[in-house]
């Protein structure tokens, strides 16, 4: 169970805050980094614009200026709706977020208690481990046909796929969290004759909470990755479907706008859980 | 006064099975401890002091023999024994105050909240930690953590206190301070205490009797030495006491023989 690698996955790429030599000049590291960010953004955009205007790329690839103007068009009225097939991008995004949250919360509700039960028994942990090991590396999309067969509804199938993608990181982190509680924490409770319920509520839960929230954070990230692909396959509504639809319209500019929006929503979801993570953390 | 021993360790052995091999850690340990007695267990590292203490705590089973507390055979952990762990073992997600309250909540199920809070405050006062009561264990020093552990064990009012190298992880200065403090707290109500220690001076300062254990495997009790130095004892004064010097010499001699053997 490689929890440490997953942690860095959730944490993202972090740059060191400050280095002594970076403070030599008057500008702070943050200001410098921001200016460099702008430089890369603008020069990258300018090169792209130039390359497109020189017709060096496939004619399908739009220039940044076109992407910008279409982007404004897309987000100007994000929540308009003219029936099933003509709805604003906000409505699609919301539909995706709603599916992700539903599947994710169902997975959390199942995996946290299950992880506790499994983790508290050495035999169960060992018995369940092979199942988890086999299931974990499988792309959740492989479960999509099974979802369709089970539910015969695209909405339930999407939620089912999210449920499956969310459940493994939460389950693994809950089991691992419970298994790695220091023995003395339990011995203290035993010498005090704490009952089972008290031990679960006052020792297991707070002790494993940081690990569980890390699992939740990884899950939500994975779920947000998976929903796009799932919606491309299932259709109907949702940002993944929207992207696929724009491909059918050969509107690459809109797709690029979507990519940026998907990234921004992903950041928001991750930040929300990182706030929770900070709250439940404790120092040994 | 009742002269029966409060705690009777009766021909207790302990064998561990690891990877098919049997390791006999303790060999027929017998020991009677009277109510109000302060006992130290001292012996070479790995001889089985913690093992013996954990068996009294009920955290480990005896392989053969039995331990009887107040007429009842010990079958598992219980609130009649309070344990101070070497690694303080406080819950890092609870404040100092709440760590003690957790113990009281477990033990005093019928008491009111204000009763328990008063008790917690009283024992925080005894170990001089009132000012730090709302801090988390991660925010206080090692010596303070150990004092919380002591307050927690005392607060539940057990028949026997079990201390496993309570000051082992501390620097000499803090250790000396806490030893004097433990002596003072113990003087107040003379609980029955079993303390594991590596420190000969600590054992003499605090104990009525010092149980010297031999090296393992099959560790035995080599000797039980009475400490007939009147109380209250103060570490600083003790150093010049000829009885202290003689005892110290004897113990150090026994222990160094053991670790060579
Ligand atoms: N769970 C276990 N399984 C196998 N052997 C063990 C186990 N616990 C302890 N032992 C062995 O029993 C012996 C006594 O261990 P114990 O921890 O009681 O020693 P100790 O006297 O407390 O040592 P120290 O002074 O270093 O704390 C050691 O040889 C140790 O290796
Ligand atoms: Mg030990």
């Amino acid at each position: 169970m490689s929890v440490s690698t997953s942690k860095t996955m959730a944490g993202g790429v972090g740059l060191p805050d400050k280095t002594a030599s970076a403070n030599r000049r008057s500008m702070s590291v943050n200001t410098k980094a921001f200016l460099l960010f702008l430089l890369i953004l603008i020069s990258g955009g300018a090169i792209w614009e130039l390359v497109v205007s020189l017709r060096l790329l496939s004619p399908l690839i739009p220039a940044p200026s076109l992407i910008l103007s279409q982007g404004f068009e897309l987000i100007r009225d994000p929540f308009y709706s003219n029936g099933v097939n003509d709805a604003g991008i906000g409505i699609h995004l919301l539909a995706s977020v709603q599916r992700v949250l539903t599947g994710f919360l169902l997975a959390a509700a199942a995996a946290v208690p299950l992880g506790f039960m499994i983790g508290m028994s050495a035999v169960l942990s060992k018995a369940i481990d092979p199942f988890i090991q086999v299931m974990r590396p499988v792309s959740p999309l492989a479960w999509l046909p099974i979802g369709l067969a089970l539910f015969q509804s695209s909405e339930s199938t999407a939620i089912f796929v999210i449920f499956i993608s969310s459940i493994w990181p939460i389950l693994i982190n809950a089991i691992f969290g419970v298994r790695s509680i220091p023995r003395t924490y339990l011995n203290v409770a035993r010498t005090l004759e704490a009952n089972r319920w008290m031990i679960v509520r006052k020792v297991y839960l707070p002790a494993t909470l940081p690990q569980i929230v890390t699992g939740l954070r990884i899950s939500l990230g994975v779920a947000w990755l998976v929903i796009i692909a799932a919606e491309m396959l299932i259709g109907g509504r949702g940002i993944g479907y929207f992207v696929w639809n724009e491909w059918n319209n050969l509107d690459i500019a809109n797709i690029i706008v979507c990519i940026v929006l998907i990234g921004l929503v992903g950041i928001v979801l991750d930040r929300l859980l990182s706030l929770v993570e900070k709250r439940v953390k404790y120092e040994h | 006064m009742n002269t029966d021993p409060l705690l009777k360790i009766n021909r207790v052995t302990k064998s561990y099975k690891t990877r098919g091999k049997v390791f006999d850690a303790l060999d027929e340990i017998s020991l009677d401890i009277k109510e109000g007695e302060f006992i130290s267990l001292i012996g070479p590292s790995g001889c089985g002091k913690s093992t013996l203490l954990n068996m009294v705590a009920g955290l480990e089973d005896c392989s053969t023999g039995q331990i009887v507390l107040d007429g009842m055979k010990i079958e598992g952990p219980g609130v009649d024994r309070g344990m101070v762990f070497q690694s303080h073992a406080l819950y890092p997600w609870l404040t100092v105050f709440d760590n003690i309250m957790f113990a009281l909540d477990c033990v005093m199920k019928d008491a009111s909240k204000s009763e328990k809070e008063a008790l917690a405050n009283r024992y925080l006062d005894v170990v001089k930690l009132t000012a730090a009561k709302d801090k988390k264990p991660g925010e206080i020093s090692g010596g303070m953590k150990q004092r919380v552990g002591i307050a927690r064990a005392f607060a539940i009012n057990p028949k026997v206190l079990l201390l496993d190298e309570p000051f082992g992880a501390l620097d000499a200065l803090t250790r000396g301070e806490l030893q004097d403090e433990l002596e003072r707290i113990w003087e107040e109500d003379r609980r029955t205490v079993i303390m594991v220690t590596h420190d000969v001076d600590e054992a003499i300062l605090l104990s009525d009797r010092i149980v010297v254990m031999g090296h393992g495997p099959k560790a035995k009790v080599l000797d039980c030495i009475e400490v007939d130095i009147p109380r209250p004892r103060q570490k600083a004064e003790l150093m010049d006491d000829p009885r202290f010097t003689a005892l110290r010499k004897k113990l150090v001699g026994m222990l160094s023989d053991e670790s060579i053997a």
Side-chain angles (χ1 to χ4, degrees), chain A residues 27-78:
Chain A
M27 256 192 282
S28 80
V29 176
N30 284 342
T31 322
K32 279 190 194 169
F34 180 67
L35 291 178
L36 186 58
F37 160 79
L38 281 184
L39 184 72
I40 293 169
L41 186 71
I42 292 168
S43 58
I47 293 168
W48 184 353
E49 189 80 38
L50 188 73
V51 166
V52 170
S53 65
L54 292 174
R55 295 170 198 282
L56 293 174
L57 290 178
S58 146
L60 285 175
I61 301 298
S65 51
L66 183 70
I67 298 170
L68 275 180
S69 67
Q70 287 206 18
F72 281 123
E73 202 60 37
L74 266 182
I75 59 173
R76 213 183 41 180
D77 185 12

Side-chain angles (χ1 to χ4, degrees), chain B residues 16-18 23 25 43-52 60 86 164-165 196 198:
Chain B
Y16 286 109
K17 282 184 197 71
T18 32
F23 177 78
S45 183
C47 71
K49 304 180 292 292
S50 297
T51 302
L52 185 60
E60 298 212 34
Q86 172 162 18
D164 192 355
E165 298 193 43
V196 169
H198 268 124

Side-chain angles (χ1 to χ4, degrees), chain A residues 183-195 198-199 202-204 206-207 282-284, chain B residues 58-59 77-79 81 83 85 87 89-93 102-103 105-107 109 138 152 156:
Chain A
R183 252 188 96 85
T184 45
Y185 290 175
L186 301 176
N187 281 343
V188 170
R190 284 176 63 205
T191 58
L192 294 168
E193 289 184 61
N195 60 40
M198 187 89 168
I199 293 179
K202 291 289 185 73
V203 182
Y204 277 97
Y282 55 82
E283 255 183 81
H284 276 280
Chain B
L59 293 170
V79 295
R81 286 145 288 154
M83 184 98 170
F85 295 83
S87 54
L90 303 175
Y91 294 129
W93 52 87
F102 172 79
D105 283 337
C106 289
V107 174
K109 295 198 174 67
R152 177 173 64 183
I156 63 166

Side-chain angles (χ1 to χ4, degrees), chain A residues 79-157:
Chain A
F79 294 108
Y80 83 89
S81 174
N82 296 327
V84 191
N85 285 320
D86 188 14
I89 192 161
I91 288 185
H92 287 287
L93 269 174
L94 271 186
S96 302
V97 169
Q98 197 187 341
R99 281 173 183 151
V100 161
L101 289 183
T102 311
F104 167 77
L105 289 175
L106 285 174
V112 172
L114 208 62
F116 264 81
M117 267 165 49
I118 296 169
M120 284 165 80
S121 148
V123 179
L124 251 182
S125 306
K126 285 212 164 137
I128 298 287
D129 195 52
F131 293 103
I132 297 179
Q133 293 307 325
V134 172
M135 292 307 166
R136 205 170 53 123
V138 178
S139 164
L141 291 170
W143 290 81
L144 198 139
I146 300 192
L148 284 172
L150 269 175
F151 301 107
Q152 290 161 11
S153 129
S154 58
E155 189 60 34
S156 309
T157 301

